């Protein structure tokens, strides 16, 4: 956490910058890269190519007086890349675990990712569950309530998203930024009352 500009003669509020490492996990083709592409570039590609290894992108959002900079690791969902995942979630402050609402097996896979994160990632990691492809309502196989109940019971943020229509994509990243920021403040206050972020 850095603070930009100490003295502000013009009286404007200081802008704090918080940097968070965020990782996206989930089965192949659930739309991880598409969510990142939508969030970072505002675009969608019907023919998005499968990710090899992982991809890195960065994007910032503003929360009140704080700029939250996400360093995003978009991992590959193919099983053969599973062993690389710890490299990306290690030290991450936030994770988005994605499933496809039209494919129940991807919801089961998401639950396995959540378990792995809870066992092996940082104990303070903020985990969000994204039920993606909500635009394909007629093909829905995972009910909203089912995922919502699971998320509540497990202590996760939950949103249904559509990288295609942009529904809830910015909202999801904003909610994660807010939670990560609050958690960081809380932890810092716990460690030392004199630090701010
Ligand atoms: P891997 O990199 O193989 O792990 O896949 P991924 O999870 O990154 O999925 P990707 O973003 O490559 O998307 C897979 C396919 O789903 C692509 O054809 C996308 O265009 C499509 N897709 C992604 N998100 C959505 C969505 O919200 N709605 C619809 N209808 N299609 C989507
Ligand atoms: Mg991908």
């Amino acid at each position: 956490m850095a603070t930009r500009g100490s003295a502000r003669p013009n009286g404007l509020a200081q802008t704090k910058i918080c940097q968070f490492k965020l990782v996206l996990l989930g089965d192949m083709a659930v739309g991880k890269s598409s969510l990142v592409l939508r969030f970072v570039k505002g675009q969608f590609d019907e023919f998005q190519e499968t990710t090899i290894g992982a991809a890195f992108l960065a994007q910032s959002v503003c929360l009140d007086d704080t700029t939250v900079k996400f360093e995003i690791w978009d991992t590959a969902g193919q099983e053969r890349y599973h062993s690389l995942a710890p490299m990306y979630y290690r030290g991450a402050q936030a994770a988005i675990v994605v499933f496809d609402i039209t494919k129940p097996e991807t919801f089961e896979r998401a639950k396995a990712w959540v378990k792995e994160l809870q066992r092996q990632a940082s104990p303070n990691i903020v985990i969000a569950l994204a039920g993606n492809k909500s635009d394909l309502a007629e093909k829905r196989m995972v009910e909203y309530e089912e995922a919502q109940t699971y998320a509540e019971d497990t202590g996760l943020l939950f949103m249904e998203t559509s990288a295609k229509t942009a529904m809830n994509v910015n909202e999801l990243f904003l909610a994660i930024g807010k939670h990560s920021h609050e958690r960081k403040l809380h932890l810092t206050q716990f460690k030392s009352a004199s630090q701010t972020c």
Side-chain angles (χ1 to χ4, degrees):
M1 168 81 212
T3 303
R4 225 186 232 167
S6 46
R8 292 285 177 121
N10 58 9
L12 289 177
Q14 289 183 342
T15 303
K16 297 174 213 146
I17 302 173
C18 268
Q19 209 156 290
F20 293 120
K21 178 179 174 186
L22 181 150
V23 63
L24 280 99
L25 298 163
D27 215 342
M28 60 180 288
V30 293
K32 298 178 295 298
S33 302
S34 300
L35 286 168
V36 176
L37 183 69
R38 172 60 76 188
F39 174 58
V40 174
K41 299 196 177 148
Q43 297 168 358
F44 176 75
D45 182 355
E46 291 279 356
F47 306 101
Q48 178 70 41
E49 285 186 11
T50 188
T51 305
I52 309 293
F56 176 81
L57 288 102
Q59 177 66 304
S60 299
V61 294
C62 287
L63 291 172
D64 303 324
D65 64 341
T66 304
T67 299
V68 171
K69 183 178 177 199
F70 288 112
E71 296 181 332
I72 306 169
W73 286 100
D74 168 25
T75 66
Q78 290 180 48
E79 188 51 39
R80 65 182 142 143
Y81 296 113
H82 187 160
S83 61
L84 298 180
M87 229 161 57
Y88 302 107
Y89 64 65
R90 201 172 294 134
Q93 281 91 9
I96 303 179
V97 179
V98 186
F99 70 95
D100 173 346
I101 64 154
T102 72
K103 298 208 165 67
E105 65 278 13
T106 67
F107 182 45
E108 295 311 311
R109 190 75 197 91
K111 290 180 187 171
W113 275 120
V114 170
K115 271 196 191 142
E116 180 167 336
L117 287 172
Q118 288 176 331
R119 265 199 321 266
Q120 299 190 52
S122 154
N124 301 309
I125 191 168
V126 171
I127 306 176
L129 179 69
N132 192 41
K133 307 198 185 181
S134 64
D135 55 289
L136 300 177
E138 73 288 355
K139 294 190 186 157
R140 175 189 288 278
M141 297 286 280
V142 180
E143 290 307 320
Y144 180 91
E145 291 72 22
E146 186 186 353
Q148 161 88 13
T149 304
Y150 162 74
E152 259 175 38
D153 292 348
T154 321
L156 318 174
L157 292 170
F158 172 62
M159 280 190 203
E160 283 195 346
T161 55
S162 170
K164 185 169 182 171
T165 67
M167 192 192 95
N168 274 345
V169 177
N170 285 349
E171 288 80 354
L172 177 69
F173 282 88
L174 268 176
I176 293 167
K178 203 160 173 276
H179 271 74
S180 305
H181 183 47
E182 281 166 5
R183 195 163 287 189
K184 193 168 181 176
L185 280 178
H186 176 77
L187 287 169
T188 310
Q189 279 161 7
F190 186 70
K191 275 189 208 150
S192 158
S194 63
Q195 293 173 337
T196 52
C197 188

